[in-house]
Amino acid sequence: MSKILEELVKKGIIDKQQLINYISKTHISKVTIGNLIENGVLEKEVFYDYLIKSIRKGEHPFSIIEKLALEDIDVTDVYKYIAKKLNIEYIDLNSVEIDSTLLEKIPTSILLKNRAIVVEEDDLTVSVIFSDPFDISAQDAIARFFPRKSLKIALAQADNIKDKLIQIETYESLKTYVEDIKKDLQTTGSSEESDESPAVLKLIDLILRSSIMAKASDIHIEVTEKNCIVRDRIDGLLQQRFIFDKAVFGPLASRLKLLSNLDIAERRKPQDGRFSATVAGSEYDFRISTLPTLIGESIVMRILDKSKTLIALEDMGMNEVNYEKFKRAIQTPYGIVLVTGPTGSGKTTTLYASLNAIRSSKDKIITVEDPVEYQMTGIQQVQVNVSAGLTFASALRSILRQDPDKIMIGEIRDTETLRIAIQAAMTGHLVLSTLHTNDAISAVFRMVDMGIESYLVSGSLVAIQAQRLVRKICPYCKTRTEISKKMLADIESFLPEGRELTFYKGEGCKHCYNSGFAGREMISEVLTVSTEIARMIAAGAKEEELTKQAEKEGFITMFQDGILKALDGKTTVDEIFRVARL
């Protein structure tokens, strides 16, 4: 139960007995405020009024509204209700044209700091949109730039204001920076010398900010015969962000290498590094990789948000059956629990969520990672350093001498690491790790192929989860759709009996950049290694035999899980076919 839900029960806004009756009747694993409103346990207006009252009293910050999305509540609906109560206007920033001359009267940094944007001015008033209408200090800070005029306050979501301001700043700055870099190149005649130019640093900051604003996971900077192209990976697919003159690539690449402590003169072999930067008030780590190509170098940066909060295991998107299986597996005292899937499928996030669910002051938990992506309190985290001789295998040997209860290995890359992990599991430790396989059952055979005896595999394995990330349908342009007869025939065996077959798609709108998708969610399968399956593994059973036995025990395949999510309106059938194999 969330803190705000506990608070509502404690203050008598939700009747405790009614809540207990609802939980016992529905048998749901996670109760949200949205569920309770939908099922009549809590009145929407009563909750919204309580929220306004507690914010005014200073019991909660206004930013709590953004977190209500985790409680299955439409955040926009809350903003509109608050605006109506305060007798101010709620504004959708995508439908408003901003007068650029007004933005010249007040620094963007002031607007960003106060989460405000000035939209209109007349002889008597200035219209200003705020993300927090109760923040008097923010209103005073903006009013100083418009003396003798009263503020006409409106309300919009904080993220929308921030995105709009960064967008405006980004596109205005782009042309200026590129022109400055080209001038410096003409003056110095060398990309190494021109990387000292302030314009290069500003261009890098602009690229980072625009990619983070677009919620990208990676930034790809590539050189072609004529241009330098910047692309972002958003929800698993690449989208072009900028296109510059080819001449800009040299100083841009050199400066990124300097930031990451790489050799700027080395262009013939790959290099890896990392750097940290504060972008739009938040701290980020960037893992950088360079690769020589025929035309020039390819640069890829992975964005790691330091302020990003850990996702709770119950919010990872597993179906109820898989969640219960996986939760039981990570609560076992010893053995190996594996999470498998391709690069970028959210394996590390699942491992962190698992550690967060099982960590306790009574247990010593040690991790070995490359790199450490989230810093967790109460857990000893080891960073792999190959140049210093600290590999996964050598770190794991040392970890076992530290008397741990639970161990997390970022990735099992070789037989040596796998063998030590199995020895640890057999001697009373719980080991969590990832492995690159296509599905849960093939992980068993991958371990055997790596040279581990089948009796050791069967004796140490507790469970294997395979996962992928599918794009979620944009809630703003979601609409019902029909699927082809051929596709329906292909998925017929995976459809539940007696259920109405309704499918959805996103038509594309301004909120999702016309893609029809916004965000991603996990589809998964969990193979629990039962006594019978362990016996079959030790006896050298084939993949088909293990699959049949697993299905007898209630195994739900990843594809089947995806089809159920498509029926629930979370994603499309096409998306399931794109990422999962039938």
Side-chain angles (χ1 to χ4, degrees), residues 424-459:
M426 301 286 273
T427 53
H429 303 88
L430 177 68
V431 179
L432 305 177
S433 190
T434 68
L435 195 67
H436 284 283
T437 62
N438 289 323
D439 53 57
I441 290 171
S442 64
V444 173
F445 300 94
R446 172 85 177 114
M447 291 170 80
V448 174
D449 288 344
M450 288 174 78
I452 306 299
E453 294 80 0
S454 55
Y455 70 88
L456 287 176
V457 174
S458 68

Side-chain angles (χ1 to χ4, degrees), residues 43 87 118 141 213 257 280 322 443 459 463 469 523 525 553 566:
E43 282 185 41
N87 201 26
V118 184
M213 184 184 76
K257 284 181 181 179
N322 285 350
L469 293 177
I523 59 169
E525 61 186 32
E553 296 176 10

Side-chain angles (χ1 to χ4, degrees), residues 385-405:
N385 187 343
V386 178
S387 58
L390 187 63
T391 62
F392 277 109
S394 63
L396 198 47
R397 279 197 205 90
S398 301
I399 283 170
L400 291 172
R401 292 192 285 272
Q402 288 278 312
D403 186 31
D405 296 287

